[in-house]
Amino acid sequence: MTPGMFLDPAALAIVFGGTALAAALRTPARDLGRALLALRVLPRRRFRADDRLDQIAALGRIAARHGVHALDRSVIHDTDVAAAVALIVDGAQPQAVIDSLDTARRARIERHRLVSDCWAGVAEAAPALGMVGTLVGLVAMFTRMSDPGAIGAAMAVALLATLYGALLANLVAAPIATRLRAAARAEAIERARLVAPLAELAAREAPRVRAGARVQPAPEPVAVADDEAEDNEAMPRERAA
Protein backbone atom coordinates (compact mmCIF):
# COMPACT_ATOMS: atom_id res chain seq x y z
CA MET A 1 0.00 0.00 0.00
CA THR A 2 1.43 3.34 -1.09
CA PRO A 3 0.19 6.94 -0.69
CA GLY A 4 -0.32 7.12 -4.42
CA MET A 5 -3.15 4.64 -4.11
CA PHE A 6 -5.22 7.28 -2.28
CA LEU A 7 -4.80 9.95 -4.95
CA ASP A 8 -7.39 10.23 -7.65
CA PRO A 9 -7.64 13.40 -9.77
CA ALA A 10 -11.30 12.92 -10.58
CA ALA A 11 -12.33 12.45 -6.95
CA LEU A 12 -10.18 15.44 -5.89
CA ALA A 13 -11.76 17.64 -8.54
CA ILE A 14 -15.28 16.64 -7.54
CA VAL A 15 -14.83 17.10 -3.79
CA PHE A 16 -12.46 20.08 -3.54
CA GLY A 17 -13.73 21.82 -6.66
CA GLY A 18 -17.36 21.26 -5.75
CA THR A 19 -16.82 22.39 -2.15
CA ALA A 20 -15.07 25.56 -3.32
CA LEU A 21 -17.91 26.26 -5.74
CA ALA A 22 -20.51 25.73 -3.02
CA ALA A 23 -18.64 28.11 -0.68
CA ALA A 24 -18.41 30.73 -3.44
CA LEU A 25 -22.14 30.45 -4.19
CA ARG A 26 -23.29 30.68 -0.59
CA THR A 27 -20.81 33.35 0.62
CA PRO A 28 -20.16 36.85 -0.77
CA ALA A 29 -16.73 37.31 -2.29
CA ARG A 30 -15.71 39.82 0.39
CA ASP A 31 -16.56 37.45 3.24
CA LEU A 32 -14.89 34.58 1.40
CA GLY A 33 -11.69 36.61 1.15
CA ARG A 34 -11.87 37.39 4.86
CA ALA A 35 -12.32 33.68 5.60
CA LEU A 36 -9.11 32.90 3.74
CA LEU A 37 -7.22 35.76 5.41
CA ALA A 38 -8.44 34.54 8.81
CA LEU A 39 -6.15 31.53 8.46
CA ARG A 40 -3.30 33.84 9.49
CA VAL A 41 -4.86 34.11 12.95
CA LEU A 42 -4.63 30.40 13.71
CA PRO A 43 -0.89 30.18 14.51
CA ARG A 44 -0.96 33.38 16.58
CA ARG A 45 -1.46 33.64 20.29
CA ARG A 46 -4.87 34.51 21.66
CA PHE A 47 -5.72 38.20 21.79
CA ARG A 48 -4.75 39.93 25.03
CA ALA A 49 -5.70 43.46 26.04
CA ASP A 50 -2.79 44.03 28.43
CA ASP A 51 -0.72 46.11 26.00
CA ARG A 52 -3.72 48.28 25.16
CA LEU A 53 -4.54 48.77 28.83
CA ASP A 54 -0.97 49.91 29.45
CA GLN A 55 -1.25 52.36 26.57
CA ILE A 56 -4.54 53.73 27.90
CA ALA A 57 -2.92 54.27 31.28
CA ALA A 58 -0.02 56.08 29.59
CA LEU A 59 -2.48 58.24 27.65
CA GLY A 60 -4.20 59.14 30.90
CA ARG A 61 -0.91 60.33 32.37
CA ILE A 62 -0.18 62.37 29.24
CA ALA A 63 -3.62 63.99 29.39
CA ALA A 64 -3.24 64.82 33.08
CA ARG A 65 0.18 66.39 32.54
CA HIS A 66 -0.13 68.12 29.16
CA GLY A 67 -3.85 68.33 28.54
CA VAL A 68 -6.19 66.08 26.62
CA HIS A 69 -5.34 67.68 23.28
CA ALA A 70 -1.83 66.28 23.57
CA LEU A 71 -3.37 62.87 22.82
CA ASP A 72 -3.86 63.95 19.20
CA ARG A 73 -0.13 63.41 18.68
CA SER A 74 -0.16 59.90 20.14
CA VAL A 75 0.27 56.90 17.86
CA ILE A 76 -2.50 54.37 18.54
CA HIS A 77 -2.55 51.26 16.37
CA ASP A 78 -5.77 49.76 17.70
CA THR A 79 -8.67 51.24 15.74
CA ASP A 80 -11.21 50.92 18.56
CA VAL A 81 -8.98 52.64 21.08
CA ALA A 82 -8.04 55.33 18.55
CA ALA A 83 -11.72 56.10 17.85
CA ALA A 84 -12.50 56.27 21.58
CA VAL A 85 -9.54 58.59 22.25
CA ALA A 86 -10.66 60.85 19.40
CA LEU A 87 -14.05 61.17 21.10
CA ILE A 88 -12.37 61.91 24.42
CA VAL A 89 -10.28 64.66 22.84
CA ASP A 90 -13.49 66.19 21.45
CA GLY A 91 -15.00 66.24 24.95
CA ALA A 92 -17.46 63.36 24.53
CA GLN A 93 -19.36 62.02 27.51
CA PRO A 94 -18.41 58.60 28.92
CA GLN A 95 -21.62 57.07 27.59
CA ALA A 96 -20.72 58.17 24.05
CA VAL A 97 -17.35 56.47 24.39
CA ILE A 98 -19.01 53.31 25.72
CA ASP A 99 -21.49 53.32 22.83
CA SER A 100 -18.66 53.73 20.31
CA LEU A 101 -16.76 50.78 21.76
CA ASP A 102 -19.94 48.69 21.88
CA THR A 103 -20.70 49.44 18.23
CA ALA A 104 -17.17 48.50 17.19
CA ARG A 105 -17.36 45.32 19.29
CA ARG A 106 -20.64 44.27 17.69
CA ALA A 107 -19.29 44.91 14.20
CA ARG A 108 -16.18 42.85 14.94
CA ILE A 109 -18.27 39.99 16.37
CA GLU A 110 -20.40 40.00 13.22
CA ARG A 111 -17.31 39.84 10.98
CA HIS A 112 -15.91 36.96 13.01
CA ARG A 113 -19.24 35.17 12.85
CA LEU A 114 -19.37 35.45 9.07
CA VAL A 115 -15.84 34.07 8.78
CA SER A 116 -16.48 31.11 11.07
CA ASP A 117 -19.80 30.41 9.35
CA CYS A 118 -18.00 30.27 6.02
CA TRP A 119 -15.69 27.52 7.26
CA ALA A 120 -18.60 25.76 8.94
CA GLY A 121 -20.35 25.81 5.57
CA VAL A 122 -17.30 24.20 3.99
CA ALA A 123 -17.42 21.48 6.66
CA GLU A 124 -21.09 20.98 5.88
CA ALA A 125 -20.69 20.87 2.09
CA ALA A 126 -17.62 18.62 1.87
CA PRO A 127 -19.31 15.33 2.91
CA ALA A 128 -22.21 16.10 0.56
CA LEU A 129 -19.79 16.60 -2.33
CA GLY A 130 -18.09 13.37 -1.30
CA MET A 131 -21.40 11.60 -1.74
CA VAL A 132 -21.79 13.28 -5.14
CA GLY A 133 -18.42 11.86 -6.11
CA THR A 134 -19.50 8.47 -4.88
CA LEU A 135 -22.62 8.59 -7.04
CA VAL A 136 -20.60 9.70 -10.06
CA GLY A 137 -18.20 6.80 -9.54
CA LEU A 138 -21.04 4.32 -9.18
CA VAL A 139 -22.70 5.58 -12.33
CA ALA A 140 -19.42 5.26 -14.21
CA MET A 141 -18.94 1.75 -12.84
CA PHE A 142 -22.41 0.54 -13.81
CA THR A 143 -22.17 1.96 -17.30
CA ARG A 144 -18.87 0.11 -17.88
CA MET A 145 -19.72 -3.30 -16.50
CA SER A 146 -18.60 -4.85 -19.77
CA ASP A 147 -15.07 -3.42 -19.31
CA PRO A 148 -13.43 -5.01 -16.27
CA GLY A 149 -10.48 -2.60 -16.47
CA ALA A 150 -12.72 0.46 -16.06
CA ILE A 151 -14.66 -0.92 -13.11
CA GLY A 152 -11.73 -0.53 -10.73
CA ALA A 153 -11.07 3.10 -11.68
CA ALA A 154 -14.75 4.00 -11.29
CA MET A 155 -14.93 2.26 -7.92
CA ALA A 156 -11.82 4.16 -6.79
CA VAL A 157 -13.53 7.46 -7.62
CA ALA A 158 -16.60 6.41 -5.66
CA LEU A 159 -14.73 5.39 -2.53
CA LEU A 160 -12.04 8.08 -2.53
CA ALA A 161 -14.59 10.86 -3.00
CA THR A 162 -16.29 9.83 0.23
CA LEU A 163 -12.91 9.68 1.95
CA TYR A 164 -11.89 13.13 0.71
CA GLY A 165 -15.18 14.67 1.81
CA ALA A 166 -14.90 13.21 5.31
CA LEU A 167 -11.27 14.30 5.70
CA LEU A 168 -11.89 17.82 4.38
CA ALA A 169 -14.85 18.31 6.69
CA ASN A 170 -13.55 16.78 9.92
CA LEU A 171 -9.80 17.44 9.74
CA VAL A 172 -9.70 20.82 7.98
CA ALA A 173 -12.84 22.93 7.81
CA ALA A 174 -14.55 22.04 11.10
CA PRO A 175 -11.40 22.51 13.24
CA ILE A 176 -10.73 25.87 11.56
CA ALA A 177 -14.29 27.04 12.27
CA THR A 178 -14.06 25.90 15.90
CA ARG A 179 -10.72 27.61 16.49
CA LEU A 180 -11.90 30.84 14.86
CA ARG A 181 -14.98 30.91 17.09
CA ALA A 182 -12.84 30.34 20.16
CA ALA A 183 -10.46 33.13 19.14
CA ALA A 184 -13.39 35.48 18.52
CA ARG A 185 -14.86 34.78 21.95
CA ALA A 186 -11.51 35.34 23.63
CA GLU A 187 -11.03 38.66 21.81
CA ALA A 188 -14.53 39.84 22.73
CA ILE A 189 -13.90 39.09 26.40
CA GLU A 190 -10.52 40.83 26.36
CA ARG A 191 -11.83 43.90 24.57
CA ALA A 192 -14.53 44.29 27.20
CA ARG A 193 -11.69 45.16 29.60
CA LEU A 194 -10.96 48.32 27.58
CA VAL A 195 -14.35 49.92 28.20
CA ALA A 196 -13.93 50.87 31.87
CA PRO A 197 -10.56 52.69 31.65
CA LEU A 198 -11.57 54.59 28.52
CA ALA A 199 -14.89 55.62 30.07
CA GLU A 200 -13.02 56.71 33.21
CA LEU A 201 -10.65 58.79 31.09
CA ALA A 202 -13.60 60.40 29.32
CA ALA A 203 -15.32 61.18 32.64
CA ARG A 204 -12.16 62.86 33.90
CA GLU A 205 -11.34 64.86 30.79
CA ALA A 206 -14.78 65.87 29.50
CA PRO A 207 -15.31 68.62 32.14
CA ARG A 208 -11.88 70.04 31.39
CA VAL A 209 -12.60 70.17 27.66
CA ARG A 210 -15.92 71.94 28.27
CA ALA A 211 -14.31 74.36 30.71
CA GLY A 212 -11.61 75.16 28.18
CA ALA A 213 -14.23 75.76 25.51
CA ARG A 214 -16.09 78.26 27.73
CA VAL A 215 -12.98 80.34 28.38
CA GLN A 216 -12.89 82.94 25.61
CA PRO A 217 -9.95 85.34 25.13
CA ALA A 218 -10.60 89.00 25.99
CA PRO A 219 -11.32 91.16 22.94
CA GLU A 220 -8.38 93.20 21.76
CA PRO A 221 -8.75 96.99 21.69
CA VAL A 222 -9.77 98.35 18.31
CA ALA A 223 -7.79 101.24 16.97
CA VAL A 224 -10.02 104.15 16.05
CA ALA A 225 -9.01 106.49 13.23
CA ASP A 226 -8.65 110.24 13.92
CA ASP A 227 -11.67 111.13 11.79
CA GLU A 228 -13.82 108.59 13.60
CA ALA A 229 -12.62 109.92 16.96
CA GLU A 230 -13.57 113.49 16.00
CA ASP A 231 -17.00 112.29 14.84
CA ASN A 232 -17.52 110.47 18.12
CA GLU A 233 -16.63 113.61 20.07
CA ALA A 234 -18.92 115.74 17.91
CA MET A 235 -21.97 113.53 18.31
CA PRO A 236 -22.60 114.37 22.01
CA ARG A 237 -22.23 118.09 21.26
CA GLU A 238 -24.80 117.90 18.48
CA ARG A 239 -27.21 116.08 20.75
CA ALA A 240 -26.59 118.66 23.48
CA ALA A 241 -27.31 121.49 21.02
Side-chain angles (χ1 to χ4, degrees):
M1 183 179 294
T2 61
M5 296 174 57
F6 295 93
L7 295 178
D8 186 271
L12 287 172
I14 293 172
V15 175
F16 286 87
T19 302
L21 179 60
L25 291 175
R26 73 194 308 177
T27 307
R30 185 176 182 180
D31 295 336
L32 191 60
R34 287 175 177 171
L36 295 175
L37 292 176
L39 296 176
R40 301 179 301 179
V41 179
L42 298 179
R44 299 177 185 173
R45 294 184 302 174
R46 291 288 177 86
F47 179 89
R48 296 287 298 175
D50 296 335
D51 294 340
R52 290 161 178 80
L53 291 172
D54 294 340
Q55 186 177 27
I56 293 170
L59 293 174
R61 292 191 294 269
I62 293 173
R65 184 176 304 175
H66 303 288
V68 70
H69 292 286
L71 302 183
D72 280 335
R73 298 188 294 271
S74 302
V75 178
I76 304 174
H77 297 290
D78 189 273
T79 56
D80 294 0
V81 177
V85 170
L87 290 175
I88 294 171
V89 172
D90 293 338
Q93 294 294 325
Q95 188 60 44
V97 176
I98 294 174
D99 293 342
S100 174
L101 292 172
D102 184 66
T103 301
R105 180 182 63 84
R106 291 177 182 273
R108 179 174 283 101
I109 290 175
E110 180 64 18
R111 291 195 300 269
H112 290 170
R113 185 189 66 80
L114 291 174
V115 168
S116 60
D117 286 350
C118 178
W119 285 105
V122 171
E124 178 183 347
L129 270 297
M131 290 302 299
V132 170
T134 299
L135 296 176
V136 171
L138 291 176
V139 170
M141 183 182 68
F142 288 130
T143 56
R144 298 177 183 177
M145 293 296 292
S146 59
D147 185 4
I151 294 177
M155 181 60 72
V157 172
L159 297 178
L160 290 177
T162 303
L163 176 64
Y164 294 159
L167 293 178
L168 180 59
N170 296 288
L171 296 183
V172 179
I176 289 176
T178 302
R179 292 186 60 183
L180 289 176
R181 289 195 187 101
R185 285 194 297 269
E187 183 173 356
I189 293 172
E190 285 294 308
R191 285 192 175 276
R193 299 170 57 193
L194 303 175
V195 177
L198 287 170
E200 182 181 354
L201 180 60
R204 189 184 71 192
E205 297 299 333
R208 298 183 185 180
V209 175
R210 291 196 300 270
R214 286 196 298 267
V215 176
Q216 299 293 335
E220 298 180 358
V222 179
V224 181
D226 294 339
D227 296 340
E228 294 179 357
E230 292 177 359
D231 294 340
N232 293 334
E233 292 177 359
M235 288 176 62
R237 294 177 185 175
E238 292 175 358
R239 291 176 182 174

